[in-house]
Amino acid sequence: MKLTKLAAYFAAATMLVACGSDDDDDNDGYTNTQVQNVLNTNADIALAAYEDSVETAKALQKALADFKADKTEANLEAAKKAWLVSREPYGQTEVYRFRNSPIDSTNYKDEDGPEGDINAWPLGEALIDYVKVNSTDFGDDQIGVTAHEAGDDLPAEIDVNNAAGNNIIETTSITINEALISNTATADDEHDVIAGYHAIEFLLWGQDLNTTNQAATDGTDRDEAVNTGVMGGQRPLSDFTTDANADRRHQYLEVAAAKLVADLEQVRDGWKEGADYRKAFTTINSDADANQRLTEILTGMGTLSEGELAGERMQIAYVGNSQEDEHSCFSDNTHRDVVLNALGVANSYYGEYKGYDSNLDGNVDNTTRAVNGYGFDDYLADTNRDALNTSVKAALKVTETGYNKIDDEARNNNRPFDVLIMDANRNSANPVYQTIIALNAQSVEIQKVATELGLGEVVDEEASECNTQDPNSDC
């Protein structure tokens, strides 16, 4: 969703009537405590979740440094675990996108935030390092790079015919530094992504080439190119020890991790007390200000629910049986992306952030920065909108049931997301199918909140081309 359209939403919101406030449009003594509480809590959650994201990214950075210093299988696994933990708080921050917050826009006008460097996908893996290619499962749709800014030492386009040897790791004339990997997500199709979480993920795991019996596949049958017992790709330790380009992979990881930490710190700092963005977001002098801020929050919740998560992140992969389109395909961690993104929407509604899972057992155990504040549920209750509050909570509960099933399939039944999207498993009982529909229904309830408060449209129909009411339909 382009921010130019967001700006139009928010401009319209400022012209709408007050949302049950103590009306005062003269910038003098605006006293809607309830709206102020919603905004303050929303900002507190953002700061807490981004603080945890920075903390876990720094832990990942240290794990990668330890691995570089002592190149053992144990330290490779420790680095992988640190990456997985780093996703736990970050996944809950995704609801702060699509709404002009510092991750996407630092000045309420331009799409100049660092999101593309932090979490863009699908990855341009063939631009980074060697890949398995063929004309079927790992063809140009998966590994093709149509444009990039990684320098003249690489072909302008990379496909199955020229991928071998034409990547950053193997082209030793290319210097791996921050300037290089900052040239990411610049192509129209964003197949040139080389920075952020997923670049690190690819270098640690490599492509997921496992079959149902854990043997490597040649990719001629996509339904067998899935993992059912071990986690994701199986890049050999020798890539980081005896391989001719081992040092360059460590260098890439070092640079990518440092940039990830710096980018996350930039976003976090925008939410700190006294920061320009936070002051602008939490200062309301009129009903128009209040309407705009509430619209921003609900736009993030509605757009992530329907267009981005249900459509772009789930249905495209589901209907196309496309491993490349699942969010964390190298690590087989897509089930957690779904859980955490959906949880972030609920966090904004309930005004709470419980923390994150630091040992990957499925339970939140790091509660250092937990927030329990004033959410939309409180606001609707205090303004006598109990029926609407009840229906929103019911929709969120159905979504929770769905994503918990997806999580359970991956954790306990050896059926991670790439198994669930296989042709043979696509039916209405599939929890991916059910969660897509639940997220669509949830977005309808979020829109009802906006409509009730006189805020206009907050779920962009153009955020995805998927019809998320019918998960089997093409996007």
Side-chain angles (χ1 to χ4, degrees):
M1 182 181 190
K2 299 301 182 184
L3 291 174
T4 50
K5 185 156 187 176
L6 275 179
Y9 282 170
F10 303 146
T14 63
M15 300 173 65
L16 297 169
V17 297
C19 44
S21 69
D22 303 328
D23 59 330
D24 186 345
D25 278 335
D26 59 4
N27 295 338
D28 181 19
Y30 187 90
T31 57
N32 191 322
T33 303
Q34 294 155 342
V35 173
Q36 188 67 64
N37 287 341
V38 170
L39 303 186
N40 289 345
T41 295
N42 194 262
D44 288 344
I45 293 173
L47 178 60
Y50 281 117
E51 285 274 22
D52 282 344
S53 297
V54 169
E55 181 177 88
T56 52
K58 287 183 175 178
L60 169 61
Q61 187 179 27
K62 182 180 184 306
L64 293 171
D66 291 344
F67 178 41
K68 181 180 180 181
D70 186 11
K71 304 174 184 64
T72 64
E73 192 71 50
N75 281 340
L76 173 58
E77 292 304 310
K80 290 179 178 178
K81 181 178 180 180
W83 186 90
L84 293 170
V85 172
S86 75
R87 298 291 289 176
E88 293 291 317
Y90 183 78
Q92 297 179 68
T93 71
E94 292 275 82
V95 73
Y96 288 89
R97 294 194 54 214
F98 315 108
R99 49 169 281 187
N100 283 349
S101 77
I103 184 73
D104 278 327
S105 175
T106 59
N107 60 10
Y108 272 86
K109 294 185 296 184
D110 303 315
E111 198 171 7
D112 62 349
E115 196 282 332
D117 287 355
I118 292 175
N119 196 43
W121 68 283
L123 194 73
E125 57 261 47
L127 186 54
I128 297 174
D129 203 353
Y130 70 87
V131 290
K132 185 98 173 179
V133 300
N134 57 43
S135 60
T136 55
D137 193 35
F138 302 104
D140 289 341
D141 287 347
Q142 288 75 38
I143 62 91
V145 179
T146 56
H148 65 83
E149 297 183 16
D152 295 334
D153 290 338
L154 296 178
E157 298 184 17
I158 298 173
D159 55 32
V160 294
N161 298 312
N162 68 355
N166 286 318
N167 58 68
I168 294 168
I169 292 294
E170 294 181 287
T171 307
T172 57
S173 58
I174 295 177
T175 300
I176 300 172
N177 54 27
E178 181 179 345
L180 172 71
I181 68 169
S182 294
N183 294 317
T184 196
T186 58
D188 288 342
D189 59 5
E190 297 187 352
H191 283 181
D192 62 334
V193 172
I194 57 175
Y197 283 108
H198 298 298
I200 296 171
E201 177 195 12
F202 172 60
L203 282 172
L204 289 176
W205 274 273
Q207 288 173 290
D208 182 356
L209 304 174
N210 304 303
T211 67
T212 53
N213 61 7
Q214 310 309 326
T217 180
D218 63 2
T220 54
D221 185 346
R222 167 64 187 85
D223 281 355
E224 293 182 353
V226 295
N227 160 62
T228 58
V230 293
M231 184 181 293
Q234 297 180 60
R235 184 183 290 280
L237 178 64
S238 57
D239 274 9
F240 299 102
T241 55
T242 57
D243 185 86
N245 296 305
D247 289 344
R248 288 179 62 80
R249 292 191 181 90
H250 285 291
Q251 174 70 7
Y252 202 117
L253 286 169
E254 186 174 78
V255 171
K259 178 169 173 53
L260 177 64
V261 169
D263 288 341
L264 289 169
E265 287 177 332
Q266 175 189 328
V267 177
R268 175 206 60 191
D269 291 349
W271 287 103
K272 283 185 172 179
E273 292 285 354
D276 289 344
Y277 177 80
R278 182 172 178 131
K279 284 193 294 186
F281 176 72
T282 58
T283 300
I284 49 175
N285 294 313
S286 66
D287 292 332
D289 286 346
N291 284 342
Q292 176 167 332
R293 304 299 184 267
L294 293 176
T295 301
E296 289 174 15
I297 299 173
L298 291 170
T299 298
M301 295 166 61
T303 302
L304 176 61
S305 295
E306 199 280 327
E308 182 69 11
L309 181 54
E312 297 295 300
R313 301 190 178 189
M314 296 180 69
Q315 187 163 331
I316 288 178
Y318 177 77
V319 74
N321 187 9
S322 173
Q323 189 179 32
E324 182 70 8
D325 284 310
E326 63 161 319
H327 204 171
S328 297
C329 64
F330 309 114
S331 61
D332 261 349
N333 197 49
T334 306
H335 59 288
R336 294 303 298 168
D337 295 326
V338 173
V339 170
L340 296 164
N341 287 179
L343 181 58
V345 176
N347 289 349
S348 283
Y349 188 76
Y350 291 113
E352 66 177 15
Y353 169 69
K354 294 180 179 178
Y356 67 94
D357 178 3
S358 69
N359 59 14
L360 306 177
D361 68 351
N363 299 305
V364 172
D365 55 5
N366 190 320
T367 59
T368 304
R369 299 184 178 87
V371 174
N372 187 3
Y374 191 92
F376 278 96
D377 60 332
D378 300 304
Y379 184 57
L380 295 183
D382 289 345
T383 54
N384 300 315
R385 294 171 167 113
D386 293 334
L388 178 58
N389 196 12
T390 298
S391 64
V392 177
K393 289 180 179 178
L396 293 172
K397 188 63 179 178
V398 173
T399 301
E400 180 183 355
T401 299
Y403 69 62
N404 280 337
K405 287 182 180 177
I406 294 173
D407 199 46
D408 181 64
E409 288 286 345
R411 289 181 182 277
N412 300 316
N413 296 324
N414 286 333
R415 283 158 54 94
F417 192 86
D418 56 4
V419 174
L420 293 178
I421 65 175
M422 291 170 62
D423 293 340
N425 296 328
R426 286 211 303 275
N427 55 63
S428 60
N430 189 314
V432 174
Y433 179 101
Q434 294 174 341
T435 305
I436 291 171
I437 290 178
L439 286 164
N440 177 285
Q442 171 179 303
S443 73
V444 171
E445 295 301 320
I446 292 169
Q447 180 59 58
K448 287 180 181 176
V449 174
T451 302
E452 170 66 20
L453 300 180
L455 303 177
E457 181 185 351
V458 297
V459 181
D460 181 16
E461 297 294 333
E462 298 179 2
S464 170
E465 295 182 356
C466 299
N467 174 10
T468 54
Q469 292 179 312
D470 179 10
N472 287 323
S473 63
D474 291 334
C475 298

